[in-house]
Amino acid sequence: LVGKVDQLIVGGGIANTFLAALGHPVGKSLCENELLDTARGIMADAKARGAEIINMSFGIGIPTILAGTIVTMENVTTALSKQGIAIFAAAGNDGDNVDSEECFSFCVPFSDTYCWKDCFETYWHFPCENNGVECIGGLGANTRGRDPGSNYGIRDVQLFAPYTVRLGATPEKKDPIHT
């Protein structure tokens, strides 16, 4: 992909691989250590071509009542998208429907005329639900179906890709476990 674009924003666990390749600590976060050389090669190729790679590896469910606090980032992702920059973010690893809504109805007492029903999302999944961001869910191992650990949604998660969860090393083995 880096050979076809001028700017690329990388999100989700793969961004940690790029950060680690640059020497930044990623702690216990998902990181494909066996791909560090590949990430360095991609970054070197991008630099040689004058392309930019922007890492974005974070996600948080913000209560809807506080969603206004991310307006600045919403404006940033919208502006970047309008400049033709592709922005991708992982849907998340909680198995949640990022589009789920709660509904309520209200009627003015003693009136059938003044009633309404409203539905809203209880959480804004940031940056996944931002304008201009393609939210990517995870496919289950050896299947074309969603992995139960991947977040999903009808409106905001329309793309899925292979999904690997790194659980960590076992006491008997030094190699990380993949599922």
Side-chain angles (χ1 to χ4, degrees):
L1 198 74
V2 79
K4 299 180 181 195
V5 298
D6 294 327
Q7 296 173 324
L8 177 68
I9 296 178
V10 180
I14 191 67
N16 292 328
T17 304
F18 283 85
L19 291 172
L22 291 169
H24 299 286
V26 294
K28 294 182 180 181
S29 296
L30 176 67
C31 178
E32 301 287 346
N33 290 314
E34 64 276 10
L35 295 176
L36 293 178
D37 287 335
T38 301
R40 288 184 194 104
I42 290 170
M43 289 185 285
D45 181 46
K47 185 175 182 178
R49 291 185 351 65
E52 297 177 31
I53 297 176
I54 303 170
N55 278 331
M56 183 175 66
S57 182
F58 56 91
I60 187 168
I62 299 173
T64 301
I65 197 164
L66 300 175
T69 62
I70 62 156
V71 169
T72 300
M73 280 305 295
E74 176 84 359
N75 292 339
V76 168
T77 58
T78 300
L80 291 172
S81 178
K82 286 181 178 179
Q83 292 178 31
I85 299 171
I87 308 169
F88 298 92
N93 303 321
D94 301 314
D96 291 339
N97 180 350
V98 300
D99 296 324
S100 66
E101 297 181 339
E102 289 191 14
C103 300
F104 68 94
S105 24
F106 179 79
C107 292
V108 174
F110 310 107
S111 169
D112 291 335
T113 308
Y114 301 104
C115 294
W116 65 89
K117 180 179 178 182
D118 199 4
C119 298
F120 59 93
E121 291 186 18
T122 54
Y123 287 91
W124 182 266
H125 292 268
F126 171 76
C128 185
E129 294 189 285
N130 279 33
N131 287 332
V133 176
E134 289 292 335
C135 190
I136 312 296
L139 295 173
N142 301 315
T143 179
R144 292 180 183 224
R146 178 184 66 85
D147 187 282
S150 173
N151 287 357
Y152 61 97
I154 294 171
R155 288 186 310 271
D156 290 310
V157 186
Q158 296 183 4
L159 298 173
F160 285 81
Y163 181 73
T164 300
V165 176
R166 181 165 299 209
L167 300 173
T170 63
E172 304 84 29
K173 298 179 182 178
K174 301 293 183 200
D175 295 328
I177 300 170
H178 289 81
T179 61

